[in-house]
């Protein structure tokens, strides 16, 4: 239910980028509290903090912005199915950038996800005859 509500709000938004920036800003008090709690019991470098902020904040914000622009041209079912590609994209990133091993399980799971998404995206408008 949460995903469907979020999808509706994304499509209904007049300023998706502004809404995303506002939502990120609303989390800052919680992020600051968590940061203070974590800083007490850990060693964090300035470089690590900056890299975490960049990878978490900027790349997520960019990803949401691209998603908000792309989702407007998709039906709700298509958008929900396309979201399922995230694990496949993350796995591909792991293989390309971190040297993760391409296992039989990874290939099979990716093919199953891609097949399911393909069925939903390319099946649009077609009715399935009931038996």
């Amino acid at each position: 239910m949460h995903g469907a509500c979020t999808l509706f709000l994304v499509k209904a938004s007049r300023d998706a980028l502004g809404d995303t920036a506002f939502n990120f800003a609303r989390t800052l008090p919680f992020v600051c509290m968590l940061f203070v709690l974590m800083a007490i019991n850990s060693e964090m470098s300035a470089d690590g903090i900056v890299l975490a902020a960049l990878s978490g904040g900027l790349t997520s914000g960019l990803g949401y912005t691209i998603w908000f622009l792309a989702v407007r041209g998709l039906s709700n079912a298509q958008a929900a199915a396309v979201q399922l590609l995230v694990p496949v994209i993350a796995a591909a990133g792991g293989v390309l950038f971190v040297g993760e091993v391409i296992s039989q399980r990874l290939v099979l799971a990716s093919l199953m996800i891609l097949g399911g998404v393909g069925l939903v995206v390319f099946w649009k408008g077609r009715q399935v005859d009931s038996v």
Side-chain angles (χ1 to χ4, degrees):
M1 181 70 174
H2 173 73
C5 292
T6 303
L7 183 59
F8 173 75
L9 293 174
V10 167
K11 286 189 168 193
S13 175
R14 293 181 187 189
D15 181 17
L17 184 57
D19 292 343
T20 300
F22 177 69
N23 288 334
F24 270 75
R26 289 187 339 185
T27 66
L28 285 177
F30 301 105
V31 170
C32 291
M33 286 189 299
L34 183 60
F35 176 76
V36 169
L37 290 173
M38 287 182 62
I40 292 171
N41 294 322
S42 67
E43 297 178 26
M44 293 187 273
S45 68
D47 289 343
I49 293 168
V50 169
L51 290 172
L54 288 175
S55 67
L58 292 179
T59 57
S60 294
L62 178 63
Y64 280 118
T65 301
I66 292 169
W67 174 247
F68 289 160
L69 294 172
V71 77
R72 295 183 188 273
L74 301 173
S75 71
N76 289 348
Q78 288 172 327
V82 169
Q83 282 183 326
L84 295 174
L85 293 176
V86 171
V88 177
I89 295 168
V95 169
L96 291 173
F97 301 117
V98 190
E100 291 286 337
V101 177
I102 300 175
S103 67
Q104 185 178 10
R105 181 185 294 186
L106 174 63
V107 171
L108 183 60
S110 296
L111 288 173
M112 290 173 66
I113 292 170
L114 292 171
V117 170
L119 284 174
V120 172
V121 170
F122 297 112
W123 200 279
K124 71 179 184 181
R126 296 186 183 140
Q127 297 278 329
V128 176
D129 295 330
S130 58
V131 177

